[in-house]
């Protein structure tokens, strides 16, 4: 028996909806048995979690791939949200995760007020995936009443929606006892991007003790690009944790505050290669010529990545006084920065010289590797 036909028959044994093709290669598969669908819906409320999961997976498959049954299934799921058992309501919300119907949006947002935590959890997940802005008021209410993972998910949903009205509630969550909530709140504030959150985030950074959480706060401040967060980040750059120092060195470049230059110059002497690399990158992003002397000295670093970052930084600063030091380095093949989904390789030394003196130096050949 041909392999493809055997696979089709096996598929038909597992999913009867495909049996029309297996039996006679019909142009339209046989519709799912309504009684079988009703049984799967009933199983969503079974005592066994495994039975529930299997029924959910089967219904999702039918809803996503059986276009002849999609509309009828959607109506059944909407009916479950209105009248089903809480377990069925939760599953129905997740099954309708891709629905753009107005009535579905309204029903799901209303479910955020449910007394059942599972229903609320599913509704938050739906809102998170669909960025439903009308849910913001109720999400802010949940931010006051939920706890643990549920509260962290509410914060994530608010971050996905990116509504500035959520800033105040998320700022309050920065002081939550649960680190997962604080992390989600910080990430959400960074995603929203409202500069008003910079000072509260900086205050939280000064008080935070967990290194992983410190990194999240620093990253959020970097997304805001507000100089209000720079002093706290500079102070944190002295952390004993190398991951924290790396995050700080990277973020100070994103903020591009000239007052951070001395701290970054000091960071170019860090024992960790990646900290020195990000310090060099950030000095290039800030573009202050006061960093040129430090960077030219960094061209002799033992790390190739640090040397590459230094060459690029000197080119970005644009001070011709760096040319003799760059020339003394000799050819240096590496990767140039690009905003496209492709790696660009060339002689970075030649590229830096061309950027600093385009009349005296020829643009080097560039090799692109990857896909646009």
């Amino acid at each position: 028996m041909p392999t493809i036909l055997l696979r089709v028959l096996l598929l038909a044994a597992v999913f009867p909806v495909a049996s029309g093709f297996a039996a006679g290669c019909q142009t339209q598969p046989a519709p799912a048995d309504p009684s079988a669908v009703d049984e799967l819906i009933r199983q969503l409320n079974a005592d066994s979690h495994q039975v529930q999961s299997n029924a959910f997976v089967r219904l999702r498959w039918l809803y996503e791939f059986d276009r002849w049954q999609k509309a009828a299934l959607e109506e059944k799921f909407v009916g479950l949200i209105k009248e089903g058992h809480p377990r069925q309501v939760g599953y129905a919300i997740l099954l309708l995760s891709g629905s753009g119907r107005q009535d579905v949006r309204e029903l799901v947002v209303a479910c955020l007020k449910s007394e059942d935590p599972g229903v609320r959890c599913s509704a938050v997940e739906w809102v998170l995936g669909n960025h439903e802005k009308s849910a913001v008021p109720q999400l802010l209410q949940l931010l006051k009443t939920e706890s643990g993972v549920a509260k962290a998910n509410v914060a994530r949903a608010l971050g996905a929606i990116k509504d500035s009205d959520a800033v105040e509630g998320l700022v309050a969550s920065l002081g939550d006892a649960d680190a997962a909530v604080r992390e989600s709140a910080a990430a959400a504030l960074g995603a929203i991007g409202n500069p008003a959150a910079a000072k509260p985030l900086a205050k939280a950074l000064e008080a935070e003790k967990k290194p992983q959480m410190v990194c999240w706060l620093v990253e959020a401040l970097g997304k805001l690009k507000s100089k209000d967060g720079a002093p706290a980040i500079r102070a944190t750059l002295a952390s004993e944790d190398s991951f924290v120092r790396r995050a700080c060195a990277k973020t100070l470049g994103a903020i591009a505050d000239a007052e951070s230059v001395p701290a970054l110059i000091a960071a170019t002497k860090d024992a960790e290669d990646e900290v020195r690399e990000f310090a060099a990158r950030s000095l290039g992003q800030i573009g202050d010529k006061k960093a040129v002397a430090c960077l030219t000295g960094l061209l002799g670093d033992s790390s190739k990545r640090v040397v590459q970052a230094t060459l690029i930084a000197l080119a970005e600063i644009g001070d011709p006084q760096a040319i003799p030091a760059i020339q003394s380095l000799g050819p240096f093949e590496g990767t140039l920065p690009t905003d496209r989904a492709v790696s660009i390789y060339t002689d970075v030394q030649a590229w830096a010289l061309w950027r600093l003196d385009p009349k005296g130096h020829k643009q080097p050949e560039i090799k692109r590797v990857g896909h646009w």
Side-chain angles (χ1 to χ4, degrees), residues 40-293:
L40 288 171
I41 288 175
R42 186 192 67 77
Q43 291 175 5
L44 292 176
N45 193 35
D47 292 333
S48 167
H49 180 70
Q50 186 61 54
V51 172
Q52 295 174 30
S53 299
N54 290 342
F56 173 78
V57 170
R58 178 72 174 109
L59 286 167
R60 183 172 63 180
W61 189 91
L62 290 170
Y63 181 60
E64 292 181 356
F65 297 106
D66 186 354
R67 64 179 182 274
W68 290 275
Q69 297 293 315
K70 189 177 182 70
L73 286 169
E74 194 164 50
E75 290 303 324
K76 284 183 178 290
F77 300 155
V78 169
L80 279 180
I81 295 178
K82 293 178 179 178
E83 302 177 358
H85 183 278
R87 286 179 189 163
Q88 294 172 315
V89 174
Y91 280 120
I93 291 171
L94 296 178
L95 286 164
L96 289 169
S97 60
S99 176
R101 287 172 43 168
Q102 179 63 29
D103 60 334
V104 171
R105 294 201 296 269
E106 292 173 356
L107 283 170
V108 173
V109 172
C111 285
L112 291 170
K113 300 178 182 180
S114 172
E115 295 182 359
D116 186 89
V119 172
R120 296 198 304 272
C121 179
S122 293
V124 170
E125 195 69 28
W126 189 96
V127 169
L128 172 62
N130 290 274
H131 303 176
E132 182 56 44
K133 191 171 183 177
S134 66
V136 169
Q138 189 55 38
L139 288 174
L140 288 173
Q141 184 60 37
L142 288 178
L143 207 56
K144 299 176 183 178
T145 57
E146 297 283 24
S147 61
V149 175
K151 186 173 182 177
N153 285 338
V154 171
R156 289 175 58 231
L158 288 167
I161 296 170
K162 298 182 180 180
D163 190 331
S164 288
D165 289 343
V167 168
E168 184 177 350
L170 290 167
V171 164
S173 296
L174 291 174
D176 197 274
D178 192 317
V181 174
R182 301 199 302 275
E183 176 183 319
S184 295
L189 288 167
I192 292 171
N194 190 323
K199 288 183 178 179
L201 281 167
K203 185 177 180 180
L205 176 60
E206 292 169 352
E208 186 58 56
K209 303 299 181 184
K210 289 182 175 290
Q212 185 175 0
M213 187 60 220
V214 168
C215 290
W216 277 102
L217 289 165
V218 169
E219 182 177 341
L221 284 166
K223 290 181 179 179
L224 297 184
K225 299 183 185 302
S226 171
K227 294 183 180 180
D228 288 336
I233 297 175
R234 288 196 294 269
T236 310
L237 188 56
S239 169
E240 294 181 359
D241 190 287
S242 63
F243 288 99
V244 170
R245 298 199 304 276
R246 182 175 64 184
C248 291
K250 179 179 180 180
T251 301
L252 288 173
I255 295 175
D257 181 8
E259 292 186 16
S260 298
V261 170
L264 288 168
I265 288 175
T268 62
K269 299 175 177 62
D270 196 277
E272 296 290 333
D273 293 355
E274 290 184 323
V275 177
R276 300 198 303 278
E277 176 189 347
F278 280 114
R281 287 187 185 184
S282 291
L283 288 169
Q285 288 176 282
I286 294 172
D288 194 321
K289 292 184 178 181
K290 294 177 183 176
V292 171

Side-chain angles (χ1 to χ4, degrees), residues 303-313 332-336 348:
S303 168
K304 180 177 179 179
R305 290 177 62 92
V306 173
V307 175
Q308 176 173 289
T310 302
L311 284 167
I312 293 171
F332 190 92
E333 185 174 318
T335 311
L336 297 177
V348 183

